[in-house]
Amino acid sequence: MTEYLTNYMKYIQDRLEKCSDSAELDEIMAEHMDKIAFMQHERIVHFLVTMMFALILAIFIAVLVFTSNIPVLLLVTMILVLLLFYIKHYYFLENTVQKMYRVYDGILEKQKKLKESRK
């Protein structure tokens, strides 16, 4: 997903820089709105999974505190590592979706400028 989003952001920026036609800009806007919707869904799913892992980690830490069991310590360590990777990925998704919002604003601005130049 990281590579996909990175490539998409480069693609959309290149396409925006080369675009000077209002119809093409409308097409770019429609495509970008679809991508934003997909990534918002992806972001919500990853948020829920991250919170689930955080809850599971808290439960197992509580079990570890009360039992001092070595296998539980191993399980806590594994869940903690997984949670760190989920947080890293969620952070990337969150920041990229916010960049997508800024690109959306840029598209709106470019549409406004094209409409003003035709007057």
Side-chain angles (χ1 to χ4, degrees), residues 100-115:
M100 292 174 88
Y101 294 155
R102 287 190 290 276
V103 169
Y104 170 82
D105 291 340
I107 295 170
L108 288 177
E109 191 65 34
K110 194 165 187 172
Q111 282 178 330
K112 192 184 295 184
K113 286 178 182 177
L114 281 174
K115 286 179 184 175

Side-chain angles (χ1 to χ4, degrees), residues 26-77:
D26 291 342
E27 185 181 305
I28 291 171
M29 174 65 96
E31 177 185 343
H32 193 62
M33 291 296 294
D34 286 342
K35 296 291 183 185
I36 288 175
F38 293 150
M39 290 307 115
Q40 286 175 330
H41 179 264
E42 186 79 16
R43 185 177 63 171
I44 289 170
V45 168
H46 277 279
F47 175 75
L48 293 174
V49 170
T50 301
M51 289 301 106
M52 182 189 70
F53 268 90
L55 179 64
I56 291 170
L57 178 64
I59 291 168
F60 279 107
I61 286 174
V63 169
L64 180 65
V65 166
F66 291 114
T67 64
S68 300
N69 194 342
I70 297 298
V72 175
L73 177 62
L74 187 62
L75 191 58
V76 165
T77 304

Side-chain angles (χ1 to χ4, degrees), residues 90-103:
Y90 179 74
Y91 180 80
F92 171 78
L93 283 174
E94 181 69 31
N95 286 330
T96 305
V97 169
Q98 289 179 16
K99 287 177 190 174
M100 292 174 88
Y101 294 155
R102 287 190 290 276
V103 169

